[in-house]
Structure formats: C-alpha cells, structure tokens
C-alpha cells in the first residue's frame, strides 16, 4: 500500500474516537446506535451515527483494516467527493435496509461501519478487479474479489447467528449501495469490467434470496 490518504485517516480516526467514546459511555452508545423504534419516531441521525460506533475492539479493527485496504483504490479512480458519496451512501442504505428488515422488531439495534466499508470494498473491486491483497498469515497474494465475497459470507454467518449488536444486515445493504452507486458514477465499467459487474452481483442476489425466503 502507498501513503494513506487524508480522507481515509479522518474516517478511521472518527471511527476510532467515536467508538472509544461508546465503549466507555453507555448513555452515548445507546443514544446514537441504530435502533428501530427511535428511528421510526424521528431520530434519523442514528442512520449515520451508528456507523461510527462498534460493538468491541475486534469489530472496530476488522472494519478499519478493511477500509484501509480498499479506500485508496476508490479515491484514486473516483476522487474525494465521489468517494465520500460511495461511503456515506452505502452507510445510509445499509442502515435503511437494516431498519426495513427489522421494521417490526422495535428493540432491534445495531452498530458498525459495515455498511460503508462493504460499499467501499465493492466499489474498489469493480474499479480495479485485478487488485490483490497480502496478509501476514498468508504468504501468497489473494485476489481482492475473493476477500469481498468472503466479507459477505461473514455477513451471512453474522445474520444467521445474530451476533451481538453488529449490523450484519448493513453489510448487505452497504454492498448493494457501493455496487449501484459506483456503477452510476462510472457507467464505463459495464464495457470494461462486465465480468466483475456480473460476478459481484451474484452474492448480493444470493443474500437477497436467502433473506426473502426466510432462511436468514
């Protein structure tokens, strides 16, 4: 990886600081987490604020490492403004779909940057499908799209097991957001990276079918 971009630093810093505040301040955490009933009553700020809170350090680290790996690719291809459109658009869509999926569960709550990060991951893979990642524990380069698909498989596991307050449904919504927003901002991808456009649509459709058939 090259030099980390300032926008990435700011986003990671905001996530770390706000999450740390939430770890140590129960009232703050409760006030700004995603929760269906308060949102239905007008507290729409939770759709965004919940994306800067995390359930624990492991959850925070996983999301921030994923953002670090993929953010520069999106910034390089789309620029600062469009990057932020993808990030916050994916975050909000992930939150909205979580609320929709759990609209009758008034006490349902979730936190995490999962929606935004899933959107950035999908955007980066669409824009640079040949990119590869190196991990300390695996000595060979891994195609980025494998990581992206694995990220969504983790979402499936999380949704099925309903792990903690983590917004696993937002992984799905964020991936859809990143996928659609990037294609809208870069329609040339249909001609240059059509295979990846189709491949990345498959796990999104699988998640949607599983959700609709009640198997999640």
């Amino acid at each position: 990886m090259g030099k980390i971009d300032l926008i990435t630093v700011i986003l990671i810093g905001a996530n770390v600081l706000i999450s740390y505040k939430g770890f140590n301040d129960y009232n703050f955490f409760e006030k700004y987490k995603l929760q269906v009933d308060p949102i239905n009553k007008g507290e729409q700020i939770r759709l965004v604020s919940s994306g800067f809170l995390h359930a624990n350090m492991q959850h925070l680290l996983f999301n921030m490492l994923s953002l670090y790996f993929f953010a520069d690719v999106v910034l390089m291809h789309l620029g600062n403004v469009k990057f932020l459109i993808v990030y916050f658009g994916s975050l909000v869509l992930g939150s909205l779909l979580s609320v929709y999926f759990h609209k009758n569960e008034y006490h349902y709550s979730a936190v995490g940057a999962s929606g935004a990060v899933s959107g950035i991951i999908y955007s980066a893979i669409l824009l640079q499908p040949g990119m590869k990642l190196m991990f300390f524990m695996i000595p060979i380069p891994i195609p980025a799209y494998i990581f992206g698909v694995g990220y969504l498989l983790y979402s499936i596991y999380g949704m099925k097991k309903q792990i903690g307050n983590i917004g696993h449904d937002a992984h799905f919504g964020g991936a859809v957001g990143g996928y659609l927003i990037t294609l809208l901002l870069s329609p040339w991808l249909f001609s240059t990276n059509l295979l990846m456009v189709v491949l990345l649509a498959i796990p999104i459709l699988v998640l949607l079918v599983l959700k609709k058939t009640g198997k999640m």
Side-chain angles (χ1 to χ4, degrees):
M1 297 293 295
K3 183 178 179 182
I4 187 170
D5 192 274
L6 178 61
I7 287 182
T8 307
V9 172
I10 291 172
L11 286 173
I12 291 176
N15 273 278
V16 169
L17 291 174
I18 295 171
S19 293
Y20 185 77
K21 171 70 173 175
F23 294 155
N24 296 283
D25 187 335
Y26 175 81
N27 291 330
F28 179 85
F29 186 89
E30 290 295 307
K31 181 177 180 180
Y32 292 109
K33 70 181 182 180
L34 184 146
Q35 190 166 6
V36 173
D37 191 43
I39 289 173
N40 287 340
K41 292 178 179 177
E43 296 183 23
Q44 276 79 28
I45 189 174
R46 292 173 181 258
L47 296 172
V48 176
S49 61
S50 60
F52 289 88
L53 293 168
H54 288 81
N56 50 51
M57 283 299 299
Q58 181 182 0
H59 184 208
L60 174 64
L61 181 62
F62 181 81
N63 275 334
M64 294 305 98
L65 281 175
S66 299
L67 177 60
Y68 169 75
F69 285 138
F70 290 93
D72 282 356
V73 174
V74 182
L75 283 162
M76 177 178 66
H77 285 276
L78 297 184
N80 295 349
V81 174
K82 291 181 179 179
F83 170 86
L84 291 174
I85 291 172
V86 173
Y87 186 91
F88 284 100
S90 300
L91 169 57
V92 171
L93 184 55
S95 295
L96 286 172
L97 283 182
S98 290
V99 172
Y100 173 74
F101 286 149
H102 299 276
K103 58 182 178 292
N104 297 320
E105 303 170 41
Y106 299 114
H107 297 291
Y108 173 82
S109 64
V111 293
S114 306
V117 173
S118 290
I120 293 299
I121 288 173
Y122 258 59
S123 180
I125 297 170
L126 280 171
L127 292 164
Q128 194 171 309
M131 68 182 292
K132 295 184 178 181
L133 301 175
M134 288 288 292
F135 296 96
F136 293 114
M137 68 292 291
I138 304 175
I140 57 175
I142 299 175
Y145 67 87
I146 291 180
F147 180 89
V149 171
Y151 194 89
L152 285 187
L153 291 176
Y154 171 74
S155 304
I156 295 174
Y157 174 79
M159 282 187 271
K160 287 180 72 69
K161 298 295 184 179
Q162 296 184 350
I163 301 172
N165 283 321
I166 298 172
H168 297 285
D169 293 293
H171 292 202
F172 167 60
V176 173
Y179 180 82
L180 294 177
I181 294 169
T182 300
L183 290 176
L184 286 171
L185 294 175
S186 307
W188 50 266
L189 290 169
F190 285 103
S191 59
T192 60
N193 296 338
L194 182 59
L195 177 60
M196 194 57 61
V197 170
V198 174
L199 287 176
L200 290 182
I202 293 173
I204 291 176
L205 292 174
V206 169
L207 281 170
L208 181 60
V209 169
L210 288 173
K211 193 70 181 178
K212 288 294 185 180
T213 56
K215 294 182 179 180
M216 294 302 300

